[in-house]
């Protein structure tokens, strides 16, 4: 039960509430003309502030974000389960936190050295406390929200909460509203939440289809056929890297061994170059030895005889000396060439032996290098392995996305049919809860409209659990608003009876716009009667001229009108005590 709404700004008009019915009246100034509006008196702002203190999110369009209000501390005093009166404080400039006095978080009451006074807690934690303590929601519950359910019990005109009975704000997902209403009515809300999950699956598929049709994103998502091949190759590469990493051994002094192997390679190459030169020289020397032979001179005597010339002995001796000298030169050249050939042959043999020895050393060093490597090489290998693992994981995620994309629409349809059948079966098993809700709604409707046909239609739809309040009428706006009135009153009573909701219901004056004054009188009388019967609290804001119509028809408002009485005075008549 709510007791008081206040602020630390002295101009603010503190609102006080009691059990049963409470009316906050906005009066019209005597000097006001027929065209003057009382929208700035603060009726809707009062409900906005209660929402703010009960965990509503804040954005730049929120009331408390106004520069004139953002540093004002607002307070709500209310009953808290377990016989505790709680004061909640919050301001717009620090909207992510609330102050609680006393600290009602679990276990705090039993602390030996508990600090007295207000305690600041994060907004999310405050909302979890509201869900658990005011609505009895389990921590692991799915699809229900304390904030959403509060929006049904305190509809806001700013959120267009009076457009449809089963929507607490405009463009609300039907599966979301149905799940929360199912909880308040005592139906299987978790089963109803299955519709929301199916809708999310369908929305994902729709978005993926749009992505595939895009020329850029289509390549990012890909097809399952392509991705299967890519995953196969990537996994094979991953296994190779894993095997290499597992078999890798770090070689001590790896750089020294590598440098030694490089030096041996350079020496082997140098030996090969020297062999090439010496082999070429050897071939030339062997050719020179073949060509180094004595010159034949016997032909000269026969030539001279044929010419008829007789050589003297003196000339012959000189010729023999020349021949002997020439033969000596040839023999010496042969000896020199043969010595050079022997030297080259020996050098070639030595280098052949050195190459063989160096080859064995080089082979041993290369085996050492092939069996392991430096620590830096192992680190690089591990980094490559990590990149390949990430690549494989990314491909698998893309494959899952492609599978979701290529999932047949028939599969989703099949799941929807199964969901619909499961909900229909559950509704058959929960006829008692449906009957209680329908009878309560019907009773409230008859109080307003007599014996008109009125009931709650609850059925398993194709897209969501369908909850439809129905009163046979001419579809006028006034009757539509009274459908919302009866529906809200029914779900508030049912939730309170069975420990699934708080003991208050709050209505903005917008709900009564266009309502026939006779129905207005009956609605107020019904709210007063039901709140007294159920031990609940009903709070409504109302314009003074609308209330005056009800009074003229016999409604006694004196027990229910609460302070403050708001006016549309331009200076200090509104809720905040000043115009901004």
């Amino acid at each position: 039960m709510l007791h008081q709404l206040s602020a630390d700004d002295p101009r603010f008009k503190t609102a006080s509430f009691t059990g049963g019915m409470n009316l906050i009246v906005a009066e019209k100034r005597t000097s006001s003309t027929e065209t003057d509006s009382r929208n700035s008196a603060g009726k809707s702002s009062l409900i906005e502030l209660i929402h703010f203190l009960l965990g509503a999110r804040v954005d730049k369009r929120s009331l408390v974000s106004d520069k004139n209000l953002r540093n004002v501390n607002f307070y709500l005093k209310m009953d808290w389960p377990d016989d505790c009166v709680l004061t909640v404080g919050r301001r717009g400039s620090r909207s992510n936190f609330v102050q609680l006095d006393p600290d009602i978080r679990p276990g705090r009451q039993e602390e030996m050295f508990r600090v007295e006074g207000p305690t600041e807690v994060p907004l999310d934690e405050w909302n979890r406390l509201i869900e658990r303590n005011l609505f009895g929601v389990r921590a692991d519950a799915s699809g229900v929200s304390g904030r959403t359910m509060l929006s049904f019990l305190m509809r806001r005109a700013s959120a267009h909460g009076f457009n449809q009975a089963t929507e607490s704000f405009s463009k609300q997902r039907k599966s979301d509203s149905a799940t929360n209403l199912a909880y308040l009515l005592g139906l299987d809300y978790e089963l109803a939440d299955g519709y929301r999950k199916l809708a999310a699956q369908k929305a994902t598929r729709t978005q993926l289809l749009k992505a595939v049709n895009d020329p850029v994103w289509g390549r990012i998502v890909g097809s399952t056929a392509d991705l299967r091949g890519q995953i196969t190759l990537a996994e094979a590469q991953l296994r190779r890297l894993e095997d290499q990493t597992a078999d890798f051994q770090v070689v001590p002094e790896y750089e020294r061994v590598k440098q030694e192997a490089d030096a041996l390679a350079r020496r082997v190459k140098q030996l090969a170059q020297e062999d090439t030169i010496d082999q070429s020289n050897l071939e030339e020397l062997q050719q020179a030895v073949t060509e180094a032979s004595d010159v034949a001179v016997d032909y000269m005597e026969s030539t001279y005889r044929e010419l008829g010339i007789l050589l003297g002995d003196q000339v012959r001796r000189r010729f023999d000396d020349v021949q002997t000298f020439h033969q000596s030169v040839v023999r010496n050249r042969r000896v020199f060439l043969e010595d050079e050939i022997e030297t080259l042959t020996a050098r070639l043999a030595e280098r052949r032996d050195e190459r063989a020895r160096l080859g064995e050393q080089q082979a041993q060093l290369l085996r050492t290098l092939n069996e392991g490597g430096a620590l830096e090489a192992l680190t690089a290998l591990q980094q490559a392995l990590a990149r390949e693992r990430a690549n494989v994981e990314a491909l698998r995620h893309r494959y899952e996305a492609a599978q979701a994309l290529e999932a047949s629409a028939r599969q989703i349809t099949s799941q929807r049919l199964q969901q619909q059948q499961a909900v229909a079966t559950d509704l058959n098993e929960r006829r008692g809860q449906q009957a209680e809700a329908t009878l309560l709604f019907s009773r409230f409707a008859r109080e307003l409209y007599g014996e008109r046909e009125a009931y709650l239609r609850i059925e398993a739809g194709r897209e969501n659990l369908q909850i439809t309040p129905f009163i046979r009428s001419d579809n006028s706006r006034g009757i539509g608003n009274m459908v919302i009135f009866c529906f809200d009153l029914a779900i508030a009573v049912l939730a309170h009876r069975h420990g699934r909701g708080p003991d208050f219901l709050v209505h903005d004056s917008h709900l009564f716009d266009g309502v026939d004054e006779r129905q207005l009188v009956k609605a107020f009388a019904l709210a007063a009667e039901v709140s007294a019967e159920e031990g609940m609290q009903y709070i409504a804001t109302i314009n003074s001229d609308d209330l005056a119509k009800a009074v003229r028809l016999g409604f006694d408002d004196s027990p229910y009108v609460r302070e403050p009485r708001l006016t549309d005075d331009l200076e200090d008549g509104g809720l905040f005590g000043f115009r901004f």
Side-chain angles (χ1 to χ4, degrees):
M1 190 171 296
L2 309 180
H3 292 296
Q4 187 180 79
L5 176 66
S6 60
D8 61 2
D9 188 325
R11 295 171 294 180
F12 185 82
K13 294 180 173 56
T14 298
S16 299
F17 314 105
T18 65
M21 189 165 78
N22 299 259
L23 296 177
I24 302 296
V25 181
E27 296 182 349
K28 187 175 182 180
R29 290 180 295 114
T30 304
S31 58
S32 296
T33 65
E34 291 298 325
T35 58
D36 283 340
S37 169
R38 282 150 295 160
N39 290 337
S40 58
K43 304 184 303 297
S44 297
S45 296
L46 181 143
I47 296 174
E48 291 287 345
L49 289 177
I50 296 176
H51 265 287
F52 172 66
L53 290 161
L54 290 179
R57 297 288 176 181
V58 171
D59 57 30
K60 62 182 180 180
R61 297 172 297 178
S62 300
L63 174 68
V64 295
S65 295
D66 188 278
K67 63 181 181 179
N68 295 284
L69 300 179
R70 62 189 315 269
N71 290 316
V72 176
N73 289 296
F74 295 98
Y75 302 97
L76 178 66
K77 184 179 291 186
M78 61 183 296
D79 288 334
W80 193 253
D82 302 326
D83 299 325
C84 170
V85 177
L86 173 68
T87 299
V88 184
R90 191 181 177 195
R91 70 174 184 267
S93 60
R94 191 170 171 77
S95 61
N96 289 329
F97 296 89
V98 299
Q99 290 184 340
L100 303 180
D101 187 14
D103 189 349
I104 45 84
R105 291 177 292 175
R108 304 291 173 155
Q109 300 291 335
E110 292 77 19
E111 290 182 356
M112 182 176 297
F113 301 104
R114 183 168 62 90
V115 178
E116 298 293 339
T119 301
E120 189 172 70
V121 301
L123 180 64
D124 288 340
E125 186 175 358
W126 171 228
N127 278 320
R128 286 194 295 271
L129 289 171
I130 289 174
E131 287 181 351
R132 191 193 68 176
N133 292 70
L134 294 187
F135 292 95
V137 176
R138 302 193 317 268
D140 61 345
S142 172
V144 291
S145 161
R147 285 297 318 150
T148 300
M149 290 187 284
L150 277 173
S151 295
F152 280 109
L153 300 178
M154 298 188 299
R155 294 179 186 264
R156 291 184 288 179
S158 62
H160 307 285
F162 300 102
N163 292 351
Q164 296 287 338
T166 55
E167 294 179 5
S168 60
F169 56 88
S170 64
K171 299 181 181 179
Q172 184 178 22
R173 291 195 303 267
K174 294 185 181 300
S175 56
D176 175 66
S177 63
T179 301
N180 285 274
L181 288 174
Y183 182 87
L184 293 172
L185 291 170
L187 305 176
D188 190 336
Y189 67 93
E190 292 181 324
L191 191 57
D193 190 48
Y195 285 110
R196 180 184 61 83
K197 296 175 181 177
L198 279 174
Q201 182 179 346
K202 182 179 179 182
T204 300
R205 184 175 185 274
T206 301
Q207 292 301 319
L208 288 172
L209 279 172
K210 292 180 181 178
V212 167
N213 293 330
D214 183 271
V216 176
W217 286 101
R219 292 195 298 271
I220 295 176
V221 177
S223 67
T224 54
D226 291 337
L227 289 169
R228 274 196 296 267
Q230 294 173 19
I231 289 172
T232 300
L233 295 176
E235 288 177 340
Q237 175 65 10
L238 178 62
R239 286 193 295 270
R240 285 194 293 271
L241 288 173
E242 288 175 341
D243 293 340
Q244 291 176 15
T245 304
D247 296 337
F248 193 93
Q249 297 179 2
V250 177
V251 177
E253 301 182 357
Y254 178 86
E255 289 300 325
R256 182 189 63 77
V257 175
K258 183 176 180 298
Q259 292 174 2
E260 186 176 348
D262 292 341
L264 289 177
R266 289 193 298 271
R267 178 56 182 162
V268 170
K269 183 177 180 180
Q270 181 183 0
L271 290 174
Q273 292 173 346
E274 292 176 358
D275 276 357
T276 300
I277 296 172
D278 285 350
Q279 188 65 40
S280 176
N281 292 336
L282 179 61
E283 291 175 357
E284 292 178 359
L285 289 173
Q286 289 173 340
Q287 181 66 29
V289 169
T290 303
E291 296 174 352
S293 58
D294 292 335
V295 180
V297 295
D298 294 342
Y299 72 91
M300 294 184 65
E301 289 190 51
S302 60
T303 301
Y304 275 95
R305 278 198 302 272
E306 291 175 0
L307 295 173
I309 301 173
L310 182 63
L311 294 177
D313 291 339
Q314 187 175 1
V315 175
R316 184 181 299 278
R317 281 198 302 275
R318 290 179 180 174
F319 185 80
D320 290 340
D321 291 341
V322 172
Q323 185 178 19
T324 299
F325 175 75
H326 179 71
Q327 291 173 347
S328 174
V329 170
V330 170
R331 283 194 300 273
N332 289 338
R333 176 171 174 76
R334 275 188 171 180
V335 171
F336 173 76
L337 292 175
E338 288 173 353
D339 288 343
E340 287 296 315
I341 288 173
E342 185 178 352
T343 300
L344 288 175
T345 303
R347 283 210 302 266
L348 288 170
E350 288 175 0
R351 282 198 289 270
R352 185 167 54 252
D353 294 340
E354 185 179 1
R355 275 201 311 274
R357 178 174 53 79
L358 293 177
E360 292 179 0
Q361 294 180 8
Q362 189 180 37
Q364 178 61 39
L365 293 174
L366 291 177
R367 280 195 298 271
T368 301
L369 294 175
N370 288 334
E371 291 173 356
L375 182 59
E376 292 83 357
L378 176 60
T379 302
L381 187 60
Q382 290 172 336
Q383 291 174 347
L385 177 61
R387 287 194 297 269
E388 194 60 34
R389 281 177 177 161
N391 179 46
V392 170
E393 192 65 23
L395 286 172
R396 287 172 179 166
H397 283 307
R398 288 176 58 194
Y399 181 75
E400 292 174 0
Q403 279 187 317
L405 170 64
E406 296 177 7
S408 171
R410 290 190 299 272
Q411 291 178 326
I412 297 179
T413 301
S414 175
Q415 293 175 354
R416 183 179 288 116
L417 290 174
Q418 294 175 6
Q419 169 73 16
Q420 186 176 3
Q421 182 59 47
V423 172
T425 301
D426 181 73
L427 289 177
N428 286 333
E429 296 173 354
R430 295 176 185 266
R431 292 180 180 176
Q433 290 90 331
Q434 295 178 72
E436 182 182 14
T438 296
L439 291 174
L440 198 60
F441 176 79
S442 179
R443 171 200 161 187
F444 297 158
R446 287 198 307 272
E447 291 285 342
L448 300 183
Y449 294 103
E451 294 302 320
R452 287 192 186 188
E453 184 180 20
Y455 56 85
L456 287 180
R457 184 169 59 230
I458 304 174
E459 59 182 337
R462 185 173 180 271
E463 301 287 343
N464 55 274
L465 173 65
Q466 294 181 349
I467 302 172
T468 308
F470 173 80
I471 299 177
R472 187 170 297 281
S473 67
D474 55 5
N475 293 323
S476 67
R477 178 185 175 188
I479 292 182
N481 286 1
M482 288 298 96
V483 170
I484 295 176
F485 173 84
C486 295
F487 182 69
D488 289 354
L489 193 57
I491 62 174
V493 169
L494 287 171
H496 178 246
R497 279 182 184 177
H498 301 285
R500 294 188 298 268
D503 56 358
F504 54 82
L505 174 65
V506 182
H507 276 152
D508 188 282
S509 63
H510 287 80
L511 179 64
F512 307 110
D513 290 344
V515 175
D516 184 273
E517 56 193 36
R518 293 167 297 177
Q519 271 66 52
L520 182 61
V521 171
K522 294 178 180 178
F524 282 161
L526 177 62
E529 177 186 351
V530 171
S531 58
E533 288 178 356
E534 301 290 338
M536 296 179 61
Q537 181 183 54
Y538 180 78
I539 300 174
T541 62
I542 188 72
N543 293 324
S544 58
D545 50 352
D546 290 331
L547 181 59
K549 297 175 184 177
V551 171
R552 284 197 298 270
L553 291 179
F555 176 71
D556 182 8
D557 66 342
S558 58
Y560 311 118
V561 175
R562 305 286 177 255
E563 294 295 333
R565 296 182 72 93
L566 305 175
T567 73
D568 54 1
D569 188 276
L570 295 179
E571 297 300 326
D572 58 359
L575 178 67
F576 297 97
F578 65 98
R579 182 62 57 92
F580 59 94

